[in-house]
Amino acid sequence: QVQLVESGGGLVQTGGSLRLSCVASGRIGSLQDMGWYRQAPGKQRELVARITSGGRTTYAAFGKDRFTVSRDNVKKMVSLEMGSLKPEDTAVYFCNAVVIDIGSILADKPRPIEYWGQGTQVTVSS
């Protein structure tokens, strides 16, 4: 089993900044893509940013010039720096990771599995 634990959410004023972090732990054989999604009330979950194990990044259009995703492969951590925050950024932010379980590697049958964190609330006041 793999756990993703997020931290860093909170309340911030329009124009402010926040940094979210997520640490993965458990039976991790290989940590593949990691990223962040968000879900606002009444809306579908949407991609914020993703980063491959090699550092290649993908951003949603709304975050491309304001958000920066990064990862530390040694610490098994992914972070999201958010700046110039707007009220429409208010949502629950979820960490996401694709993991190949160590057991499946040892069995010579590597199988990627997607995991989610519990979510952290980000509220931007106007």
Side-chain angles (χ1 to χ4, degrees):
Q1 191 66 297
V2 173
Q3 296 79 39
L4 301 179
V5 178
E6 300 121 332
S7 61
L11 174 65
V12 65
Q13 291 185 334
T14 296
S17 302
L18 276 177
R19 178 184 173 92
L20 306 182
S21 295
C22 170
V23 178
S25 63
R27 293 174 52 85
I28 299 171
S30 176
L31 197 53
Q32 306 293 297
D33 288 11
M34 301 184 79
W36 293 91
Y37 289 70
R38 71 183 189 185
Q39 188 167 19
K43 295 188 176 181
Q44 289 190 329
R45 191 172 298 189
E46 60 180 352
L47 170 71
V48 177
R50 292 189 67 81
I51 183 168
T52 68
S53 57
R56 188 169 69 250
T57 57
T58 302
Y59 292 93
F62 61 77
K64 200 165 187 179
D65 297 323
R66 301 185 294 127
F67 298 170
T68 302
V69 64
S70 60
R71 65 188 282 168
D72 184 325
N73 291 327
V74 173
K75 294 181 179 178
K76 299 184 177 63
M77 176 187 293
V78 62
S79 298
L80 183 69
E81 294 273 4
M82 303 187 291
S84 302
L85 284 164
K86 307 173 183 179
E88 50 263 44
D89 294 317
T90 295
V92 178
Y93 283 69
F94 295 91
C95 177
N96 173 274
V98 177
V99 176
I100 299 179
D101 177 85
I102 191 168
S104 69
I105 292 177
L106 294 175
D108 202 24
K109 296 180 180 179
R111 183 167 64 101
I113 299 175
E114 186 175 44
Y115 291 92
W116 293 91
Q118 79 285 358
T120 185
Q121 177 70 46
V122 171
T123 302
V124 184
S125 63
S126 57

